[in-house]
Amino acid sequence: MSAQYRRTRLVRVGYAFVGLTLFAGYLISTFPYSATLSKVLAPMGLEVSSTSQSASFPFGARLAGVRLSSTRPASAGPLIESPDVTIAPAFLSMLTLHPGVRVKAALYDGVVNVTLRPSGGGTAISYDLDSVDIASQRLVAIPGAAAAGTLSGSGNLWLSSADIAETGGGELSAVGLTITSPFASSPIRLGDGHSKFRLDQGTLTIEELKTSGGDLTLTAAGTIQLAPDPGQSELAIEFTLSPAPAAAAQLAVLLALLPHPPGPQPYRLTGTLDAPRIS
């Protein structure tokens, strides 16, 4: 084999490699990520939109102005917004003809990594949160109340259109957790918190929830029967409160509204998310 032939062959192989790389890059950068995400999230009554898309090499694309919204008629405005999202195909799920996506998003001064794929008529989700600012999110809106701190955690979920959440579990931790209430003279420091939960047939079980290092120590356990309309989810939770002596005056009005003084006897939280009751 002559040197000239080898050089010619190497040049052809090089051109072929560059051509295949550019073609793959074109396919990946033009992949309909927003539409695929919306298809994956459709069983949950959610959809995704973005203002622009560009290539993110070696694989994937970068979306700007991403919004996660509910498709339910009563919803108002986006649930979550992110200025910068990197997304790529989940190749294993594509090989099984169930296209999924891997997502890394800047979220409220933190980062979230999520893998989503269709599974058994629902959506399988693996997530990891890192230092997400609680005060910036708008998932929960209680008049006169607000929360601050950072949230981290990880877990796996399988969600369906019928029962919202079927199976899964995970852990969540909060740092610098603070709650503002119209019944307290100043913000209530809960300090750091940790929780473990699991999902089974649409029931969210809080196995452990505890805070430490704040004005008020909270411990809780119980269940939430999730409903297609989140506000109608039924609560069956027991919790205890232990105020720090230095915060007694600050918490006096709030504690006076409770059915009995804080102590070993737990409070019971029942009703729904829209209409909770404490006894």
Side-chain angles (χ1 to χ4, degrees), residues 198-210:
R198 60 181 171 85
L199 291 163
D200 184 26
Q201 302 300 312
T203 298
L204 170 65
T205 299
I206 302 171
E207 297 181 326
E208 174 189 357
L209 190 157
K210 186 173 184 178

Side-chain angles (χ1 to χ4, degrees), residues 153-230:
S154 61
N156 296 282
L157 307 172
W158 186 82
L159 310 182
S160 75
S161 57
D163 297 313
I164 297 183
E166 288 286 346
T167 60
E171 298 187 12
L172 291 173
S173 298
V175 176
L177 184 60
T178 302
I179 295 176
T180 301
S181 168
F183 304 109
S185 58
S186 61
I188 304 168
R189 296 184 305 108
L190 292 178
D192 299 339
H194 180 75
S195 66
K196 294 176 62 178
F197 67 90
R198 60 181 171 85
L199 291 163
D200 184 26
Q201 302 300 312
T203 298
L204 170 65
T205 299
I206 302 171
E207 297 181 326
E208 174 189 357
L209 190 157
K210 186 173 184 178
T211 67
S212 61
D215 301 324
L216 193 66
T217 298
L218 167 69
T219 63
T223 64
I224 302 175
Q225 185 65 48
L226 301 175
D229 179 354

Side-chain angles (χ1 to χ4, degrees), residues 8-267:
T8 301
R9 188 175 182 181
L10 287 174
V11 168
R12 290 176 177 174
V13 171
Y15 278 131
F17 177 77
V18 171
L20 287 173
T21 301
L22 292 175
F23 180 66
Y26 170 78
L27 289 179
I28 291 169
S29 63
T30 57
F31 185 83
Y33 292 101
S34 293
T36 300
L37 264 178
S38 292
K39 181 178 179 181
V40 171
L41 295 173
M44 302 160 55
L46 301 172
E47 64 180 2
V48 174
S49 63
S50 62
T51 58
S52 66
Q53 175 177 316
S54 58
S56 177
F57 291 100
F59 300 107
R62 175 165 288 173
L63 308 181
V66 177
R67 290 186 167 195
L68 176 66
S69 305
S70 173
T71 58
R72 293 186 170 88
S75 63
L79 299 174
I80 296 176
E81 296 179 272
S82 174
D84 185 27
V85 173
T86 302
I87 184 169
F91 291 107
L92 278 179
S93 64
M94 292 182 72
L95 291 175
T96 62
L97 302 181
H98 294 288
V101 291
R102 292 183 293 109
V103 179
K104 181 178 181 180
L107 186 66
Y108 306 129
D109 298 325
V111 176
V112 57
N113 289 279
V114 182
T115 300
L116 307 100
R117 61 180 178 84
S119 175
T123 305
I125 299 177
S126 175
Y127 70 88
D128 183 87
L129 305 175
D130 184 20
S131 302
V132 174
D133 181 30
I134 297 173
S136 300
Q137 64 84 30
R138 293 181 290 180
L139 289 176
V140 179
I142 301 175
T150 59
L151 187 68
S152 302
S154 61
N156 296 282
L157 307 172
W158 186 82
L159 310 182
S160 75
S161 57
D163 297 313
I164 297 183
E166 288 286 346
T167 60
E171 298 187 12
L172 291 173
S173 298
V175 176
L177 184 60
T178 302
I179 295 176
T180 301
S181 168
F183 304 109
S185 58
S186 61
I188 304 168
R189 296 184 305 108
L190 292 178
D192 299 339
H194 180 75
S195 66
K196 294 176 62 178
F197 67 90
R198 60 181 171 85
L199 291 163
D200 184 26
Q201 302 300 312
T203 298
L204 170 65
T205 299
I206 302 171
E207 297 181 326
E208 174 189 357
L209 190 157
K210 186 173 184 178
T211 67
S212 61
D215 301 324
L216 193 66
T217 298
L218 167 69
T219 63
T223 64
I224 302 175
Q225 185 65 48
L226 301 175
D229 179 354
Q232 297 303 309
S233 299
E234 297 181 4
L235 307 170
I237 298 172
E238 290 191 351
F239 66 95
T240 61
L241 300 174
S242 179
Q250 170 194 350
L251 300 173
V253 175
L254 176 64
L255 297 178
L257 296 174
L258 297 175
H260 59 79
Q265 181 184 356
Y267 299 99

